[in-house]
Amino acid sequence: MHRVTVEPLGQTVNVAEGQTILDACLRAGIYLPYQCNHGLCSTCKVTVVDGEVDLGEASPFALMDFERDEGRALACCARPLSDVTIEADIEVDPDARNCPVLDIETDVVEIRNLSSDIKGIWLDTKGVTFDFQAGQYVNLRLPGIEGERAFSLANAPSEGLLEIHVRLVPGGRGTGYLHEVLKVGDKLSLSGPYGRFYIRESAEVPMIFIAGGSGLSSPKSMVLDLLGKGCDLPITLFHGVRRRPDLYFAELFEKLAAEHGNFTYVPVLSDPQPGDGWTGETGFVHEAAVRHFDGVFKGHKAYLCGPPPMIEASIRALMKGRLFDRDIHTESFLTKADADGPSRSPLSQRM
């Protein structure tokens, strides 16, 4: 075991043999900027000012040769070979709670069909207090399947059970297991919470949530958390799906809208069928948001969650409507195939 001192915080963490610096810091409740967690994006780049580290499998594009010579390292890959001091680019955010990452085993207590290809799964932490911020995610470890699978938490932090939404990906081993094999009474191991997708409550401005498909999970958690704490700022949730049977939790959000005058729910169908009997918004979800706000988004905070094409289209619409990128927060839903494929566009990466 080695000790790593993180500057400019001046905090020290113990790092076990074979553990990465990033993992040790997150488990100690110390946030280092990160994104891909696989040595590919360079978000977690730090400077080693004292001691030695094994750089691991850092991509030569994310960590170039001259940077290695200058003592730079990727925290998600680097493992200390001695006691180490690092300098990290850490921004203090008044809304970030930095909940420690835990490994826990849960019991599956409910599985429900939410739509034709999305299941809701509820997990009991068996008395373990699992603290997280609305919008964060967990990594599931599935029996016989290599690699972890990430899923956003859909329940409010104040609720007792953990809730995830799983869309069946054709040919996907992880989602296939969760849809076709998993049953009530099984156990699932997970780690978390992870991510920096959370509500910037200190801004005290109206909020827009735009979700696509199973990307509803994080916004559901965030909206429930805000309303549960008595937030009286205007909150608007747009949920885009293809057809009416793809909408889920619509009754919950309609009920919340009836109970809270500051909450507006706008479901949107991109491909309504004659048999749907649909009279609501149609088209792409970002187009519905433009119509709802007459193309002007200035003075809001926006939270986007869903597939990358939806995210990028929404970003462009919001910016065209005079919302700066500092007020747009995103969480892209990627499959394992997406993560292994080409990188995202420069626009999405910048966000």
Side-chain angles (χ1 to χ4, degrees):
M1 180 177 293
H2 299 293
R3 294 174 65 80
V4 173
T5 301
V6 181
E7 299 293 355
L9 300 178
Q11 294 180 259
T12 300
V13 298
N14 292 323
V15 185
E17 187 72 24
Q19 187 179 24
T20 66
I21 291 174
L22 177 62
D23 186 65
C25 287
L26 294 178
R27 291 177 185 279
I30 297 175
Y31 173 74
L32 298 182
Y34 72 98
Q35 187 171 350
C36 76
N37 209 10
H38 295 292
L40 301 175
C41 73
S42 80
T43 303
C44 65
K45 195 175 293 179
V46 299
T47 300
V48 180
V49 297
D50 187 46
E52 296 184 9
V53 300
D54 177 352
L55 296 177
E57 298 180 358
S59 163
F61 300 101
L63 188 67
M64 298 184 180
D65 289 341
F66 77 89
E67 292 178 307
R68 297 168 191 247
D69 294 339
E70 294 174 351
R72 303 282 273 171
L74 300 185
C76 71
C77 297
R79 294 171 171 82
L81 300 174
S82 66
D83 287 352
V84 171
T85 299
I86 64 170
E87 286 185 352
D89 184 15
I90 300 174
E91 294 183 7
V92 177
D93 189 327
D95 296 304
R97 292 190 43 235
N98 299 333
C99 305
V101 170
L102 303 177
D103 291 305
I104 64 172
E105 186 176 79
T106 65
D107 290 333
V108 179
V109 295
E110 184 179 358
I111 301 175
R112 189 191 313 166
N113 290 325
L114 302 179
S115 72
S116 61
D117 64 349
I118 297 175
K119 284 187 182 290
I121 300 174
W122 283 261
L123 307 171
D124 187 348
T125 63
K126 300 189 291 188
V128 175
T129 300
F130 191 85
D131 191 20
F132 71 97
Q133 283 188 271
Q136 290 190 295
Y137 68 91
V138 296
N139 284 334
L140 299 187
R141 293 180 288 276
L142 305 177
I145 297 177
E146 183 179 356
E148 298 179 327
R149 300 297 192 270
F151 293 97
S152 293
L153 293 166
N155 58 290
S158 59
E159 297 176 15
L161 300 178
L162 302 183
E163 174 187 342
I164 61 172
H165 301 164
V166 182
R167 179 179 68 87
L168 180 62
V169 177
R173 295 189 63 198
T175 62
Y177 177 89
L178 293 169
H179 268 253
E180 300 161 7
V181 179
L182 188 73
K183 61 184 183 300
V184 171
D186 286 351
K187 299 184 183 300
L188 277 181
S189 297
L190 60 83
S191 62
Y194 294 105
R196 300 292 274 185
F197 190 55
Y198 54 84
I199 307 161
R200 273 62 178 185
E201 295 182 64
S202 63
E204 297 185 341
V205 296
M207 288 159 279
I208 300 169
F209 295 88
I210 302 179
S214 62
L216 182 66
S217 51
S218 287
K220 175 177 178 286
S221 175
M222 294 162 129
V223 168
L224 291 175
D225 188 42
L226 285 167
L227 296 179
K229 291 189 292 190
C231 175
D232 57 4
L233 293 166
I235 302 168
T236 307
L237 169 64
F238 298 90
H239 184 206
V241 296
R242 289 190 61 200
R243 297 188 54 187
R244 189 165 193 169
D246 299 325
L247 278 178
Y248 64 98
F249 281 118
E251 291 183 0
L252 168 65
F253 292 119
E254 289 166 354
K255 180 174 181 290
L256 290 173
E259 295 172 347
H260 301 272
N262 62 317
F263 175 61
T264 302
Y265 169 58
V266 184
V268 186
L269 303 189
S270 64
D271 187 27
Q273 300 299 303
D276 287 340
W278 184 251
T279 59
E281 282 282 357
T282 60
F284 293 116
V285 67
H286 68 279
E287 296 170 339
V290 170
R291 289 191 293 269
H292 186 87
F293 286 97
D294 293 325
V296 181
F297 301 102
K298 183 180 179 180
H300 290 77
K301 281 279 189 185
Y303 301 87
L304 319 178
C305 192
M310 185 223 80
I311 295 286
E312 296 196 9
S314 298
I315 290 171
R316 290 189 175 94
L318 292 166
M319 286 185 165
K320 187 177 180 180
R322 301 174 63 193
L323 196 65
F324 292 108
D325 57 3
R326 66 170 178 264
D327 294 317
I328 303 173
H329 307 280
T330 68
E331 182 80 305
S332 288
F333 270 33
L334 300 171
T335 67
K336 182 67 165 57
D338 292 328
D340 292 340
S343 62
R344 295 172 297 147
S345 75
L347 174 64
S348 184
Q349 287 177 342
R350 182 165 62 86
M351 297 306 297

